[in-house]
Amino acid sequence: MTVFELIRLYCGYVGNIQESVPELAAFWMVSVILQLPLCLYSLLDRGAHILPLEISVNSILLLFVVVELVVSTGTIRQMSLLQETKFTLLHGPGGSRHQDQADTQPGTSASMARI
């Protein structure tokens, strides 16, 4: 569980600092696929002898994981829209930046036609 937590926190930290959607998506997937089931298992396993302190600590951990999932889902959506806006502003609505550069380079037929 500690290894999963380290991977999850690293992906979340790097994704947040670098504003990188793939790392934040990895954080979200590790949280949903690994961290949430492990947390639920440690909280709901009736076969093991669980102390009351463990129940309260695991309940708080589960609450934090759920809040992290909700917040990270919104953050990934916002960051994806931001990256899409940056791409559109950089490349234009057609998505081709090379055509714009060819139009502005001196000596090309398109720049000569504007003169």
Side-chain angles (χ1 to χ4, degrees), residues 1 10-11 15 33-35 47 51 57 68 72 74 78 80 87 89 92-93 99-100 102 106 109-110 113-114:
M1 194 162 169
Y10 174 76
C11 289
I33 295 172
L34 299 174
Q35 190 68 25
L51 300 175
V57 169
E68 285 176 355
S72 66
Q78 288 178 345
S80 296
F87 180 82
L89 289 175
Q99 181 65 29
D100 296 339
S109 59
R114 279 189 260 169

mmCIF file of all heavy atoms in Angstrom, residues 1 10-11 15 33-35 47 51 57 68 72 74 78 80 87 89 92-93 99-100 102 106 109-110 113-114:
data_model
loop_
_atom_site.group_PDB
_atom_site.id
_atom_site.type_symbol
_atom_site.label_atom_id
_atom_site.label_comp_id
_atom_site.label_asym_id
_atom_site.label_seq_id
_atom_site.Cartn_x
_atom_site.Cartn_y
_atom_site.Cartn_z
ATOM 1 N N MET A 1 0.830 -1.184 0.000
ATOM 2 C CA MET A 1 0.000 0.000 0.000
ATOM 3 C C MET A 1 0.877 1.252 0.000
ATOM 4 O O MET A 1 0.516 2.256 -0.599
ATOM 5 C CB MET A 1 -0.926 -0.028 1.212
ATOM 6 C CG MET A 1 -2.030 0.964 1.145
ATOM 7 S SD MET A 1 -3.309 0.500 2.313
ATOM 8 C CE MET A 1 -4.288 1.941 2.276
ATOM 9 N N TYR A 10 3.429 11.017 -6.178
ATOM 10 C CA TYR A 10 4.396 11.544 -7.142
ATOM 11 C C TYR A 10 3.688 12.009 -8.415
ATOM 12 O O TYR A 10 3.961 13.100 -8.923
ATOM 13 C CB TYR A 10 5.450 10.486 -7.467
ATOM 14 C CG TYR A 10 6.391 10.928 -8.559
ATOM 15 C CD1 TYR A 10 7.400 11.846 -8.300
ATOM 16 C CD2 TYR A 10 6.255 10.447 -9.850
ATOM 17 C CE1 TYR A 10 8.258 12.262 -9.306
ATOM 18 C CE2 TYR A 10 7.096 10.854 -10.856
ATOM 19 C CZ TYR A 10 8.102 11.766 -10.583
ATOM 20 O OH TYR A 10 8.938 12.185 -11.590
ATOM 21 N N CYS A 11 2.793 11.178 -8.933
ATOM 22 C CA CYS A 11 2.063 11.553 -10.153
ATOM 23 C C CYS A 11 1.212 12.798 -9.924
ATOM 24 O O CYS A 11 1.145 13.681 -10.783
ATOM 25 C CB CYS A 11 1.189 10.400 -10.622
ATOM 26 S SG CYS A 11 2.109 9.024 -11.300
ATOM 27 N N GLY A 15 2.094 16.207 -11.889
ATOM 28 C CA GLY A 15 1.018 16.692 -12.742
ATOM 29 C C GLY A 15 0.548 18.073 -12.355
ATOM 30 O O GLY A 15 0.221 18.896 -13.217
ATOM 31 N N ILE A 33 -8.171 2.720 -9.077
ATOM 32 C CA ILE A 33 -7.939 1.291 -9.291
ATOM 33 C C ILE A 33 -7.265 0.625 -8.091
ATOM 34 O O ILE A 33 -7.576 -0.523 -7.765
ATOM 35 C CB ILE A 33 -7.115 1.070 -10.576
ATOM 36 C CG1 ILE A 33 -7.934 1.519 -11.779
ATOM 37 C CG2 ILE A 33 -6.680 -0.374 -10.717
ATOM 38 C CD1 ILE A 33 -7.166 1.536 -13.079
ATOM 39 N N LEU A 34 -6.369 1.326 -7.427
ATOM 40 C CA LEU A 34 -5.594 0.689 -6.355
ATOM 41 C C LEU A 34 -5.910 1.227 -4.962
ATOM 42 O O LEU A 34 -6.181 0.456 -4.036
ATOM 43 C CB LEU A 34 -4.096 0.846 -6.640
ATOM 44 C CG LEU A 34 -3.597 0.202 -7.935
ATOM 45 C CD1 LEU A 34 -2.150 0.562 -8.169
ATOM 46 C CD2 LEU A 34 -3.785 -1.278 -7.890
ATOM 47 N N GLN A 35 -5.858 2.538 -4.794
ATOM 48 C CA GLN A 35 -5.962 3.112 -3.457
ATOM 49 C C GLN A 35 -7.365 2.968 -2.862
ATOM 50 O O GLN A 35 -7.505 2.586 -1.701
ATOM 51 C CB GLN A 35 -5.559 4.590 -3.500
ATOM 52 C CG GLN A 35 -5.403 5.223 -2.151
ATOM 53 C CD GLN A 35 -4.221 4.673 -1.391
ATOM 54 O OE1 GLN A 35 -3.269 4.183 -1.970
ATOM 55 N NE2 GLN A 35 -4.276 4.756 -0.088
ATOM 56 N N GLY A 47 -13.104 -10.292 8.498
ATOM 57 C CA GLY A 47 -12.366 -11.475 8.910
ATOM 58 C C GLY A 47 -11.183 -11.156 9.814
ATOM 59 O O GLY A 47 -10.752 -11.990 10.594
ATOM 60 N N LEU A 51 -9.152 -2.896 15.217
ATOM 61 C CA LEU A 51 -9.311 -2.067 16.408
ATOM 62 C C LEU A 51 -10.155 -0.834 16.084
ATOM 63 O O LEU A 51 -10.217 -0.399 14.932
ATOM 64 C CB LEU A 51 -7.944 -1.642 16.918
ATOM 65 C CG LEU A 51 -6.993 -2.765 17.320
ATOM 66 C CD1 LEU A 51 -5.633 -2.211 17.695
ATOM 67 C CD2 LEU A 51 -7.578 -3.559 18.476
ATOM 68 N N VAL A 57 -9.245 5.776 11.701
ATOM 69 C CA VAL A 57 -8.172 6.247 10.818
ATOM 70 C C VAL A 57 -8.457 5.872 9.365
ATOM 71 O O VAL A 57 -8.295 6.694 8.452
ATOM 72 C CB VAL A 57 -6.801 5.692 11.281
ATOM 73 C CG1 VAL A 57 -5.735 5.937 10.243
ATOM 74 C CG2 VAL A 57 -6.404 6.302 12.612
ATOM 75 N N GLU A 68 -10.205 13.680 -2.769
ATOM 76 C CA GLU A 68 -9.161 13.818 -3.790
ATOM 77 C C GLU A 68 -9.669 13.411 -5.168
ATOM 78 O O GLU A 68 -9.335 14.048 -6.166
ATOM 79 C CB GLU A 68 -7.938 12.971 -3.434
ATOM 80 C CG GLU A 68 -7.105 13.544 -2.338
ATOM 81 C CD GLU A 68 -5.955 12.644 -1.948
ATOM 82 O OE1 GLU A 68 -5.851 11.513 -2.480
ATOM 83 O OE2 GLU A 68 -5.153 13.050 -1.111
ATOM 84 N N SER A 72 -9.772 16.034 -8.106
ATOM 85 C CA SER A 72 -8.895 15.754 -9.249
ATOM 86 C C SER A 72 -9.684 15.591 -10.540
ATOM 87 O O SER A 72 -9.192 15.939 -11.614
ATOM 88 C CB SER A 72 -8.028 14.527 -8.985
ATOM 89 O OG SER A 72 -8.822 13.365 -8.892
ATOM 90 N N GLY A 74 -12.395 17.304 -11.386
ATOM 91 C CA GLY A 74 -12.620 18.680 -11.846
ATOM 92 C C GLY A 74 -11.362 19.338 -12.353
ATOM 93 O O GLY A 74 -11.377 20.069 -13.350
ATOM 94 N N GLN A 78 -10.662 20.866 -16.123
ATOM 95 C CA GLN A 78 -10.239 22.251 -16.350
ATOM 96 C C GLN A 78 -8.901 22.319 -17.061
ATOM 97 O O GLN A 78 -8.702 23.137 -17.959
ATOM 98 C CB GLN A 78 -10.159 23.003 -15.026
ATOM 99 C CG GLN A 78 -11.499 23.316 -14.428
ATOM 100 C CD GLN A 78 -11.373 24.029 -13.099
ATOM 101 O OE1 GLN A 78 -10.305 24.051 -12.491
ATOM 102 N NE2 GLN A 78 -12.456 24.608 -12.629
ATOM 103 N N SER A 80 -7.583 20.071 -19.043
ATOM 104 C CA SER A 80 -7.752 19.630 -20.430
ATOM 105 C C SER A 80 -8.316 20.757 -21.284
ATOM 106 O O SER A 80 -7.864 20.970 -22.417
ATOM 107 C CB SER A 80 -8.688 18.427 -20.498
ATOM 108 O OG SER A 80 -8.134 17.336 -19.833
ATOM 109 N N PHE A 87 -3.689 25.133 -27.333
ATOM 110 C CA PHE A 87 -3.419 24.542 -28.640
ATOM 111 C C PHE A 87 -4.152 25.303 -29.739
ATOM 112 O O PHE A 87 -3.587 25.590 -30.794
ATOM 113 C CB PHE A 87 -3.843 23.071 -28.649
ATOM 114 C CG PHE A 87 -3.595 22.386 -29.961
ATOM 115 C CD1 PHE A 87 -2.345 21.894 -30.270
ATOM 116 C CD2 PHE A 87 -4.619 22.232 -30.891
ATOM 117 C CE1 PHE A 87 -2.108 21.265 -31.473
ATOM 118 C CE2 PHE A 87 -4.393 21.611 -32.097
ATOM 119 C CZ PHE A 87 -3.139 21.125 -32.384
ATOM 120 N N LEU A 89 -5.179 28.425 -29.688
ATOM 121 C CA LEU A 89 -4.587 29.753 -29.854
ATOM 122 C C LEU A 89 -3.256 29.686 -30.599
ATOM 123 O O LEU A 89 -2.928 30.568 -31.392
ATOM 124 C CB LEU A 89 -4.398 30.430 -28.505
ATOM 125 C CG LEU A 89 -5.677 30.883 -27.811
ATOM 126 C CD1 LEU A 89 -5.351 31.418 -26.426
ATOM 127 C CD2 LEU A 89 -6.410 31.923 -28.628
ATOM 128 N N GLY A 92 -4.301 27.798 -34.285
ATOM 129 C CA GLY A 92 -5.448 28.305 -35.024
ATOM 130 C C GLY A 92 -6.552 27.271 -35.087
ATOM 131 O O GLY A 92 -6.385 26.121 -34.693
ATOM 132 N N PRO A 93 -7.702 27.673 -35.590
ATOM 133 C CA PRO A 93 -8.837 26.752 -35.620
ATOM 134 C C PRO A 93 -8.631 25.571 -36.553
ATOM 135 O O PRO A 93 -9.179 24.506 -36.355
ATOM 136 C CB PRO A 93 -10.001 27.615 -36.087
ATOM 137 C CG PRO A 93 -9.420 28.872 -36.609
ATOM 138 C CD PRO A 93 -8.035 28.995 -36.070
ATOM 139 N N GLN A 99 1.246 26.252 -41.995
ATOM 140 C CA GLN A 99 0.687 27.105 -43.043
ATOM 141 C C GLN A 99 0.831 28.573 -42.665
ATOM 142 O O GLN A 99 1.172 29.401 -43.498
ATOM 143 C CB GLN A 99 -0.790 26.764 -43.264
ATOM 144 C CG GLN A 99 -1.454 27.583 -44.362
ATOM 145 C CD GLN A 99 -0.870 27.291 -45.736
ATOM 146 O OE1 GLN A 99 -0.395 26.198 -45.996
ATOM 147 N NE2 GLN A 99 -0.869 28.282 -46.598
ATOM 148 N N ASP A 100 0.605 28.909 -41.392
ATOM 149 C CA ASP A 100 0.747 30.292 -40.951
ATOM 150 C C ASP A 100 2.192 30.758 -41.052
ATOM 151 O O ASP A 100 2.455 31.890 -41.415
ATOM 152 C CB ASP A 100 0.261 30.440 -39.500
ATOM 153 C CG ASP A 100 -1.226 30.150 -39.367
ATOM 154 O OD1 ASP A 100 -1.940 30.229 -40.406
ATOM 155 O OD2 ASP A 100 -1.675 29.827 -38.251
ATOM 156 N N ALA A 102 4.467 29.636 -43.150
ATOM 157 C CA ALA A 102 4.842 29.757 -44.557
ATOM 158 C C ALA A 102 4.302 31.057 -45.144
ATOM 159 O O ALA A 102 4.923 31.654 -46.018
ATOM 160 C CB ALA A 102 4.303 28.570 -45.348
ATOM 161 N N PRO A 106 9.551 35.600 -45.569
ATOM 162 C CA PRO A 106 9.850 36.399 -46.756
ATOM 163 C C PRO A 106 10.305 35.520 -47.913
ATOM 164 O O PRO A 106 10.965 34.509 -47.710
ATOM 165 C CB PRO A 106 10.965 37.331 -46.286
ATOM 166 C CG PRO A 106 11.491 36.756 -45.025
ATOM 167 C CD PRO A 106 10.438 35.864 -44.465
ATOM 168 N N SER A 109 5.617 32.738 -51.967
ATOM 169 C CA SER A 109 4.628 33.313 -52.892
ATOM 170 C C SER A 109 3.495 33.993 -52.152
ATOM 171 O O SER A 109 2.953 34.992 -52.602
ATOM 172 C CB SER A 109 4.082 32.232 -53.815
ATOM 173 O OG SER A 109 3.472 31.214 -53.048
ATOM 174 N N ALA A 110 3.128 33.464 -50.974
ATOM 175 C CA ALA A 110 2.037 34.082 -50.230
ATOM 176 C C ALA A 110 2.456 35.440 -49.676
ATOM 177 O O ALA A 110 1.670 36.382 -49.711
ATOM 178 C CB ALA A 110 1.615 33.164 -49.073
ATOM 179 N N ALA A 113 2.589 37.962 -52.570
ATOM 180 C CA ALA A 113 1.293 38.375 -53.056
ATOM 181 C C ALA A 113 0.717 39.480 -52.193
ATOM 182 O O ALA A 113 -0.038 40.316 -52.679
ATOM 183 C CB ALA A 113 0.350 37.185 -53.072
ATOM 184 N N ARG A 114 1.094 39.529 -50.912
ATOM 185 C CA ARG A 114 0.586 40.579 -50.039
ATOM 186 C C ARG A 114 1.282 41.911 -50.293
ATOM 187 O O ARG A 114 0.756 42.951 -49.971
ATOM 188 C CB ARG A 114 0.812 40.181 -48.580
ATOM 189 C CG ARG A 114 -0.254 39.221 -48.095
ATOM 190 C CD ARG A 114 -0.125 39.027 -46.633
ATOM 191 N NE ARG A 114 0.585 37.738 -46.470
ATOM 192 C CZ ARG A 114 1.063 37.308 -45.345
ATOM 193 N NH1 ARG A 114 0.997 38.045 -44.284
ATOM 194 N NH2 ARG A 114 1.640 36.146 -45.264
#
